[in-house]
Structures are given as C-alpha cells and as structure tokens.
Amino acid sequence: MGLPDIVTREEWLAARAELLAKEKAATRARDALNAERRRLPMVEIEKEYLFAGPDGKATLFDLFDGHAQLIVHHFMFAPEWDAGCPSCSAFLDQIGHLAHLRARGTNFVAISRAPFTKILPFKARMGWTVPWYSSSGDDFNHDFHATVDEDGRTVEAPGLSCFLRDGDRVFHTYSAYDRGTDWVGSYSSLLDLTALGRQEEWELPKGRSSALGAPAGSGLVRYHDEYEE
C-alpha cells in the first residue's frame, strides 16, 4: 500500500495551507453552482402517478405530506429482486433524521419498482423509518429516467429527483443520477439540490430564504425533537 510522505510539522502546515486555499475556492465554486441549480426552470407535472405505501394508494402530491418540497430517492429495487440494491442501501443508511429537512418545508421519500410487499420486510430488516413507496405498475421510474430500456433489457439507475408544489400544482425542478449523487447525504447537501435551497440569507438568487418562514442559518438549527410542526 502506498502511504503519504512523512514530513515535519512545518512542512505539513505549509502543504495544508496550500490545499486549504484550493478547498475554499472549491466551496465558492460549489456555492455558485448551487445558485445556478436554483435558477433552473421547472416543469409542471400534469400526469397522475399512483404509488403503494403503508396507507394504501398515494399520489405524487400526497408524498409531499403538506410540505412545499419533495426529494425522491430512486432506490434500485427491481420487482424480481428479493432485496434492495446494496449501494442504494448504503446511501439510505446515511440519511439522518428528517426533522431537519421538514423544518425547511421539505419531505424525503424513497421510491422503488418492487411491490410494497417486498419493500416492507426489507425496510424492517434495515431498520429504516424513511417513508418508502412502490411505483410497481406505474410509469414514474421510466418517466424520470430511474429505469431505462437498453438493448431489450430493463436497467435500474440510482438517483434523486426534486419537486416543488405551489398550491395543488406540482413541478419537477431537478434530478441527478449515479455519480451525480456521490456528494449528497447530509440534510444541507440534500437541500442544495432543491429550488429553495437551504433558505439562508446569503444564498442566491435572493428572495427564497423567507419563502417558507423556516429557520435559516446553522445558528438556528435545533435538536430534531425541538422543531415546531
């Protein structure tokens, strides 16, 4: 195994300072990219999708659960499989308490093509509490490119899709797949994918930080049991 070079503390500090300058530049570039993502136009969803969940059938609108935004994890779990994708499972393992997302008006759910009768025992085995729905028999996965047909075979793709609602109207704002989700996992990185972002005053474009009246800034982050509904 090749290990890092061994140097003096002074040499390490100099190298670390040089890297830190590059890291700060990358952070500023990421902030600019996130702002550009929030400026993307959106598409109204006029097609009706039906999902199977713990309370029976649910529409895409229902999955918002009263929140302004919805993040969908396209979890790879084909109907013929007996368990979910290990990589998708590792991703879902890192999703923390949803209170921090919901405090910013954003819900998070997983959706797979497997029937709900297969999802339920696997979810119990993994110990997850994240809402998980089946799109079995529905066009949702195909329409949002989480399932594609290539050379006569059906191929699953992991990904995330973001939706925004305005009253009863639902809009698709963003999707990312495969390596495009590598950096996502914390609640703040998930919010960075959405049209309203973290809703903090420094974010661009201006005017979205107060859209939900949600707490903004790390100084107002609460323990997950202290947020008001």
Side-chain angles (χ1 to χ4, degrees), residues 85-120:
C85 162
S87 294
C88 291
S89 298
F91 176 86
L92 207 56
D93 276 338
Q94 69 183 339
I95 299 300
H97 204 290
L98 297 185
H100 301 292
L101 287 173
R102 290 170 175 168
R104 286 158 179 79
T106 304
N107 199 24
F108 180 98
V109 304
I111 294 179
S112 300
R113 289 196 308 125
F116 190 68
T117 52
K118 283 191 173 182
I119 289 174
L120 202 58

Side-chain angles (χ1 to χ4, degrees), residues 199-222:
Q199 299 145 51
E200 299 185 1
E201 292 294 339
W202 59 268
E203 288 184 306
L204 296 175
K206 292 292 186 181
R208 300 188 187 180
S209 63
S210 59
L212 302 176
S218 57
L220 291 177
V221 172
R222 301 283 182 259

Side-chain angles (χ1 to χ4, degrees), residues 51 63 70-77 85-95 107-113 119 128 130-135 140-141 146 156-163 176-178 181 184 190 193:
F51 308 96
L63 303 192
L70 171 68
I71 300 174
V72 170
H73 176 207
H74 299 292
F75 192 112
M76 295 169 58
F77 194 163
C85 162
S87 294
C88 291
S89 298
F91 176 86
L92 207 56
D93 276 338
Q94 69 183 339
I95 299 300
N107 199 24
F108 180 98
V109 304
I111 294 179
S112 300
R113 289 196 308 125
I119 289 174
W128 295 324
V130 169
W132 197 351
Y133 294 84
S134 169
S135 62
F140 181 81
N141 276 56
E156 300 279 324
L160 294 164
S161 288
C162 300
F163 301 88
Y177 306 94
D178 297 312
T181 65
V184 181
L190 285 166
L193 299 179

